[in-house]
Each structure stands twice: as C-alpha cells, then as structure tokens.
Amino acid sequence: MRDDCPSKGPRTDDWYCRAVTYADTFTQDIARSFMKEFEKITGKRPYIIKDNLHRSKMDPNREIERAAQHNEEAEVAYNEFHKFILEARAEVQKDGPGLLVDLHGMTHTHEKLEIGYLYKPKDLNAGDYTVDVYSMQALMARTGMSPQEWLSGEHSLGALFEREGYLAIPSPR
C-alpha cells in the first residue's frame, strides 16, 4: 500500500493504481499487417506509433499517474509517446479527417476483437449514446449514421470483421 494509492480492494484506488504486467502478444505483427493492407487499399502510409516498453514499466493507455507509477523516466516516455500521437494527428488533419487505431493485445478468454468507440461501458450497457464522444460525433456528421448503426449495425466495424470470419464486440450478433 502507498499513500497515493490506498488499498481498499478491487475496483478501488488500489485496483486502479496497479501496473499492468502482461505483454501485448503479437500486436506489433498485427500492426505491420494492418499498415500494409491500409496502404494497399488507400495508397497512403499510416503513422505507426509503438511503445517499446513492457507494460509493467509504462502503460501509455492509462492516465500518467497509473501509467508511469511516479517514475520520472517512465513519465518522460509517456509524454513522448503522446507527443508523437499529437504530431501525427496534426499532420493527418492537414488533409481532412483521419483514422486513429489503437491496437493492443488482451488476456480475455472470449477471444473476440474488442472495438472501442470511446463510449464508457456503463453508457454502452445502458444503451445511452447521448454522451458527446467527439470521434463518434464527427463520424456521424459525415455519414449520417446513428450511434447504434456505428456500434452494431450491418455496416459497423464489428459487422465487417464478422463477415471476414473474426468474432467482434460490439457487432450485430
């Protein structure tokens, strides 16, 4: 127990302050395949920003306090990682809208692709799509599709993956 992360059991500060210690197995292979296919389809080469540190050292998918565990070197790595994302985003936005894909491995036993749209689980489970999710608002404005269509409609990413033989969450299924 630390002063900044008191121990009170699962889903409390203690739980949220723990470092993630498993690796994202095969994620870099998937990213390279994705990059090649994306370039083949669009003619554009995507930015690939990868974290070479093991997640027990620094986890860039968390808030900095949890991600770097108050380690100065990990905080530098965290800030550099996110700086690269902002630079790539700014470059992409010069040509209009872009796509940000965050790939990482999971240790869940259900063996399905998990597609995140930045909605919180409680909102998804409640079917509440009224929360302003910037990336989704932009997609809906450009396509005229509703949140339900994007998340689990016949033209959703989940539907596209499942038509290719990969079980996905969420999907029409």
Side-chain angles (χ1 to χ4, degrees), residues 120-131:
K120 295 193 181 312
K122 67 177 181 60
D123 296 329
L124 287 173
N125 291 332
D128 180 6
Y129 310 116
T130 60
V131 148

Side-chain angles (χ1 to χ4, degrees), residues 42-155:
T42 67
K44 296 181 179 185
R45 187 174 175 99
Y47 288 89
I48 300 291
I49 302 166
K50 67 179 186 172
D51 171 26
N52 288 320
L53 296 174
H54 190 280
R55 290 179 73 187
S56 66
K57 302 294 180 193
M58 193 278 293
D59 183 353
N61 293 314
R62 308 284 183 255
E63 294 298 321
I64 192 167
E65 292 80 18
R66 182 174 177 213
Q69 300 287 308
H70 304 284
N71 178 292
E72 288 182 29
E73 291 174 333
E75 288 177 1
V76 168
Y78 179 93
N79 289 325
E80 286 293 314
F81 181 86
H82 287 277
K83 178 182 162 213
F84 287 132
I85 292 173
L86 292 174
E87 289 171 357
R89 179 179 164 197
E91 190 66 30
V92 168
Q93 286 178 328
K94 289 179 184 177
D95 295 327
L99 172 67
L100 173 64
V101 178
D102 178 15
L103 298 172
H104 49 99
M106 304 297 269
T107 59
H108 301 157
T109 57
H110 58 63
E111 296 186 7
K112 294 175 183 71
L113 293 173
E114 294 183 15
I115 306 167
Y117 295 94
L118 302 180
Y119 283 101
K120 295 193 181 312
K122 67 177 181 60
D123 296 329
L124 287 173
N125 291 332
D128 180 6
Y129 310 116
T130 60
V131 148
D132 283 335
V133 175
Y134 178 75
S135 62
M136 292 300 292
Q137 299 302 327
L139 284 170
M140 289 183 285
R142 284 197 307 275
T143 64
M145 290 172 63
S146 71
Q148 293 87 345
E149 290 172 301
W150 269 109
L151 296 168
S152 58
E154 290 304 314
H155 300 291

